Amino acid sequence: MKSVFEGLKVIDLTSALNGPQCTMFLADYGAEVIKIEPLGGEQCRTWGPFEEKSGESAFFASFNRNKKGCTLNLKSEKGKQMLYDLVKDADVLVENYKGGVTKKLGVDYETIKKINPNIIYASSSGFGQTGPISHRPCYDIVAQAMGGMLNLTGFKDTAPVKVGPSVADHVSGIYLAVGVMMALYHRERTGEGQMIDVSMQDVIFSILENAIPTYTVAGEIPERNGNIDPSIAPFDVFHCKDGYVALGVGNDRMFNNFCHTIEHEELAEDPRFATNDLRQKNYLPDLRGTIEDWCMQYTKKEIEAIMDEASIPCGPVLNVKEVIEHPQIQAREMMVHMDHPTAGDLYLQGCVIKLSETPGTIRTASPLVGQHNREVFGLTEEEEKQLIEEGVI
């Protein structure tokens, strides 16, 4: 089967989540990704949950499939030279150290491009490579806080709430992969390599959507507002007989249809709700209360069926088990079985981007620590033993 990145060689110096997310995308679509970990393995091998028999991290396994695993002590001159040898014919190097660390290790862009001038050097960090706090360490919750998202999430009378999944990490990984593809396209046309610099704070800031013009245009500082959308109404989560449903009614025509569907035609005639702007301003308490009273008469499935018939965007609020077992997720092959060398069968997420001619595939499980040292570095058994004794691998 053809792969879109077949023949692409990627050196992966990343750890945790945002960098491995990027290199996972490249690996899923055919790139040869060589993951270089510090001796003993990278930090997210210690993050649960763990497979019971082997103790392997399912978190690590989820984001490091399809990669070859090596170890190198980059603080040793021999380890550094071994990396440089790999870089000579590599297409891409990806790293996610905090600002300043790559220069100390001798793996910064200026050093690497002297070895391989055409390389694409992709860097993701908490605050980027420039600016007064670029040196700071960062995890997802800090990026959400300093990017403006945490203060917008939650209800008016609660403390700020982190978005459940690590959205700063995930979106940073996606942006970094997009940056790699843009740089590869540029190199294809010009032969010129370049550096990509993605900041987790920038990424969160970039997805604040309506919050930015609410301040810059309307002069208001947006506040936490629960599930209520700042631009569209009704666009919210409602309590029903057996849980919650999400409803989005995005325009005036759809609102008229919605009022007819819930048998509250008087709402469509009410001047307070004549336009989306008026509905948004007058949403509480009457419009919301009427909709929730209607929802409380039905189950999630019943509401979903009613709204589906009326072509109104609606979905039940599902837990993780319900999502995994949902026929749509199953039909899209968004969950796949993977055979791990020590953990056995792992049931993990599939490839999200569906390509008709060059689809992504999950070919190999995440590597064991240093599993491919001999293959990647071209070592004999004796040479491998010697380098282990010297603390290089």
Side-chain angles (χ1 to χ4, degrees):
M1 187 178 291
K2 293 181 292 184
S3 298
V4 69
F5 291 130
E6 187 174 345
L8 192 76
K9 182 176 178 179
V10 179
I11 308 302
D12 180 0
L13 299 181
T14 69
S15 66
L17 181 50
N18 64 2
Q21 170 95 353
C22 167
T23 53
M24 181 195 76
F25 279 133
L26 302 177
D28 283 354
Y29 294 89
E32 178 191 19
V33 175
I34 300 170
K35 184 177 178 72
I36 307 292
E37 299 181 68
L39 306 193
E42 63 121 313
Q43 60 180 307
C44 81
R45 286 187 183 272
T46 66
W47 298 350
F50 302 98
E51 196 278 326
E52 187 176 355
K53 292 181 293 183
S54 65
E56 293 288 339
S57 164
F59 188 103
F60 180 87
S62 297
F63 298 101
N64 290 283
R65 66 214 192 182
N66 289 332
K67 302 177 186 180
K68 294 178 179 177
C70 299
T71 52
L72 273 181
N73 179 2
L74 294 178
K75 294 179 180 178
S76 74
E77 288 307 312
K78 191 174 286 188
K80 205 170 298 183
Q81 188 56 55
M82 289 170 69
L83 176 68
Y84 293 161
D85 290 341
L86 286 180
V87 163
K88 288 175 183 176
D89 67 346
D91 295 288
V92 181
L93 184 147
V94 186
E95 60 85 10
N96 66 340
Y97 295 106
K98 69 176 182 178
V101 171
T102 55
K103 193 165 187 65
K104 290 178 183 176
L105 290 174
V107 296
D108 55 300
Y109 177 53
E110 294 304 317
T111 300
I112 295 300
K113 79 172 182 178
K114 288 176 184 175
I115 301 166
N116 182 345
N118 299 322
I119 200 161
I120 307 301
Y121 187 104
S123 174
S124 179
S125 58
F127 303 101
Q129 300 302 307
T130 58
I133 63 170
S134 60
H135 63 282
R136 287 189 190 176
C138 185
Y139 281 119
D140 181 89
I141 192 169
V142 177
Q144 287 195 36
M146 296 189 68
M149 179 173 284
L150 213 148
N151 194 57
L152 292 172
T153 310
F155 291 85
K156 288 184 185 294
D157 56 351
T158 68
V161 177
K162 182 183 87 68
V163 175
S166 299
V167 63
D169 276 304
H170 283 286
V171 181
S172 294
I174 295 166
Y175 277 21
L176 197 62
V178 171
V180 168
M181 289 182 270
M182 293 166 72
L184 286 169
Y185 181 66
H186 175 75
R187 190 178 72 182
E188 182 70 22
R189 293 186 299 163
T190 67
E192 182 181 43
Q194 62 182 302
M195 181 179 179
I196 302 153
D197 177 11
V198 171
S199 152
M200 291 169 69
Q201 183 189 32
D202 291 353
V203 165
I204 288 296
F205 182 72
S206 78
I207 58 175
L208 294 186
E209 52 178 75
N210 197 54
I212 303 300
T214 296
Y215 172 66
T216 59
V217 176
E220 302 171 9
I221 299 176
E223 298 178 352
R224 291 185 296 284
N225 211 16
N227 295 308
I228 297 173
D229 188 85
S231 302
I232 304 170
F235 199 96
D236 202 349
V237 173
F238 300 93
H239 203 184
C240 59
K241 271 187 175 181
D242 61 346
Y244 295 89
V245 292
L247 281 165
V249 183
N251 57 57
D252 296 342
R253 178 193 57 77
M254 190 179 291
F255 182 68
N256 286 332
N257 182 24
F258 175 72
C259 294
H260 174 75
T261 300
I262 66 172
E263 298 180 342
H264 277 283
E265 285 83 357
E266 78 280 1
L267 295 176
E269 303 300 323
D270 194 317
R272 294 176 299 167
F273 311 137
T275 66
N276 178 70
D277 184 55
L278 288 169
R279 289 192 294 277
Q280 196 272 329
K281 290 175 181 175
N282 298 308
Y283 179 58
L284 297 174
D286 293 347
L287 180 55
R288 190 188 192 286
T290 300
I291 296 169
E292 185 145 281
D293 287 346
W294 180 85
C295 287
M296 286 299 293
Q297 302 174 60
Y298 301 94
T299 65
K300 292 188 290 187
K301 277 193 173 182
E302 289 169 341
I303 295 171
E304 184 179 17
I306 292 168
M307 295 302 160
D308 185 35
E309 179 68 23
S311 294
I312 293 167
C314 170
V317 176
L318 304 178
N319 62 37
V320 172
K321 178 179 183 294
E322 290 170 328
V323 177
I324 288 173
E325 294 174 354
H326 196 283
Q328 184 68 15
I329 290 293
Q330 291 293 319
R332 299 279 296 171
E333 297 182 329
M334 282 306 300
M335 290 297 298
V336 296
H337 289 276
M338 184 174 70
D339 186 31
H340 190 278
T342 59
D345 179 60
L346 292 177
Y347 194 37
L348 300 173
Q349 288 169 313
C351 299
V352 66
I353 301 172
K354 312 300 184 185
L355 299 178
S356 65
E357 304 303 318
T358 54
T361 57
I362 299 178
R363 304 172 301 283
T364 60
S366 58
L368 303 178
V369 178
Q371 180 179 337
H372 299 98
N373 278 342
R374 287 179 63 183
E375 175 191 337
V376 169
F377 298 124
L379 305 174
T380 65
E381 188 175 350
E382 287 303 313
E383 288 171 333
E384 183 181 38
K385 286 180 180 177
Q386 181 64 33
L387 288 171
I388 291 172
E389 289 175 8
E390 294 175 10
V392 177
I393 63 174

